[in-house]
Amino acid sequence: MPAHQLSLWPCGDAHAVFRLPGNGAYAAMSALCRLLQRGLLSGRPLCRLFPGQQDVCGVAPAVRSASSSSPVNLTYDVFDGKGESTPLVFLHGLFGSKSNFHSIAKSLVQRTGRKVLTVDARNHGNSPHNPVLTYEAMANDLKHLLAQLHIDKCILIGHSMGGKTAMTTALTQPALVERLVVVDISPAQSSTRTNFRYYIQAMQEMTISTDIPRSTARRMAEDQLRSLVKEHSVRQFLLTNLVEQNGHYAWRVNLEAISAHLDDIMSFPNFDTGYEGPTLFLGGASSAYISSDDYPEIQRLFPNADIQYIPDASHWIHADKPLDFISSIISFLQS
């Protein structure tokens, strides 16, 4: 994991904070949190393979666009456990990818024996691009993927934007979700007063020479982002999405769709009925993304929810405190 420094607001409800066993192995991520209210970015993707891990990757369709009215074929990685228990499915945040949870997935396979899937959302990673980017559409994509893989029931674990997709899936397709873990986000409506549109604008306006080394392309891209993206850590995070295709450099994320649906991403759909299954809202004690103001809506939609906080963790709990994050999931599975 990258070592960044995150600046976050203190958690307002110290009485709700509890201490999990173990200790974190990674430094906190950078100042993204104060820039993006309500936490919609995922941690920076990991780019490494794990020796000895039986790893099966879903292959992205050759065509990266799809009809807006139908689900897209999501790319995914499978970490194949030997046990027969319900599989775990991880959903990343905005501008993230399925690689974000690879190290977590490997550990959970080893400790639980369960199969673990990590999934690229539409318009992210290697999944197809589509002009629609709503939580209803992303939940429908996930339902389609699970049907393709003959998975009748799963345990959904979603971080930030992925947490909202997981909640939407549980609320619309409760039979698919045996248990739900929502990582540092809530079903509350989110503010859109961020600098995020400036970041998207800077990425859209970027031009990079062709047939140059990747390191040179990254430097050129960072220089062009600097005028609208002041923080070095934010630029480095965005640059994880810069890819080379036949000598040309482009963003692998669908900036047009993200820009057009930013209000949808920052918000959350309205639901009249709740999800009755066991649910864990897991927040960082140094993060304000799950606050006491959100508790009534959490209780209304998820009446069997437990709200817990990991001390000294920011919005990127899995990066800051991976051992505590894993322990909290395992405890929840055993409860």
Side-chain angles (χ1 to χ4, degrees), residues 33-252:
C33 154
R34 71 171 184 269
L35 301 168
L36 303 180
Q37 295 177 358
R38 309 299 294 182
L40 292 167
L41 284 183
S42 129
R44 181 175 175 178
L46 295 170
C47 298
R48 63 177 182 231
L49 298 177
F50 303 99
Q53 177 68 43
Q54 185 179 0
D55 208 13
V56 182
C57 298
V59 179
V63 179
R64 284 175 57 85
S65 61
S67 167
S68 60
S69 61
S70 61
V72 304
N73 293 315
L74 303 176
T75 55
Y76 59 93
D77 291 336
V78 179
F79 296 83
D80 216 351
K82 297 179 181 179
E84 298 298 324
S85 300
T86 307
L88 309 177
V89 178
F90 279 88
L91 308 178
H92 63 77
L94 187 63
F95 276 105
S97 77
K98 56 185 169 57
S99 299
N100 292 170
F101 286 101
H102 274 180
S103 61
I104 299 294
K106 179 190 176 186
S107 296
L108 286 169
V109 169
Q110 293 173 340
R111 292 185 59 177
T112 70
R114 293 175 187 260
K115 176 183 291 187
V116 181
L117 281 76
T118 65
V119 182
D120 279 336
R122 61 167 59 198
N123 299 316
H124 290 74
N126 293 318
S127 282
H129 285 188
N130 188 286
V132 176
L133 189 58
T134 64
Y135 290 115
E136 294 90 344
M138 288 187 277
N140 196 34
D141 292 342
L142 181 61
K143 176 187 175 183
H144 178 64
L145 174 63
L146 296 177
Q148 287 180 315
L149 298 177
H150 305 290
I151 295 175
D152 298 325
K153 193 175 289 288
C154 71
I155 294 171
L156 269 185
I157 305 170
H159 174 246
S160 206
M161 181 189 78
K164 290 188 174 183
T165 301
M167 286 187 281
T168 301
T169 304
L171 289 164
T172 57
Q173 304 290 332
L176 280 177
V177 184
E178 181 177 295
R179 285 172 177 257
L180 175 66
V181 181
V182 181
V183 184
D184 212 58
I185 204 71
S186 80
Q189 303 296 311
S190 303
S191 169
T192 57
R193 297 177 187 174
T194 70
N195 293 324
F196 203 42
R197 291 197 184 277
Y198 293 109
Y199 304 157
I200 296 172
Q201 177 186 342
M203 295 170 74
Q204 289 174 324
E205 293 175 352
M206 187 195 70
T207 57
I208 299 294
S209 303
T210 59
D211 297 317
I212 59 176
R214 178 172 173 80
S215 58
T216 304
R218 282 181 62 92
R219 285 196 297 271
M220 291 182 64
E222 183 172 8
D223 288 343
Q224 294 180 53
L225 292 176
R226 188 172 285 110
S227 63
L228 289 175
V229 185
K230 304 299 184 182
E231 288 72 16
H232 174 75
S233 57
V234 178
R235 295 195 299 270
Q236 292 302 304
F237 179 85
L238 297 176
L239 287 170
T240 63
N241 288 286
L242 185 68
V243 295
E244 185 269 335
Q245 299 171 339
N246 300 320
H248 298 270
Y249 289 91
W251 300 109
R252 67 178 177 178

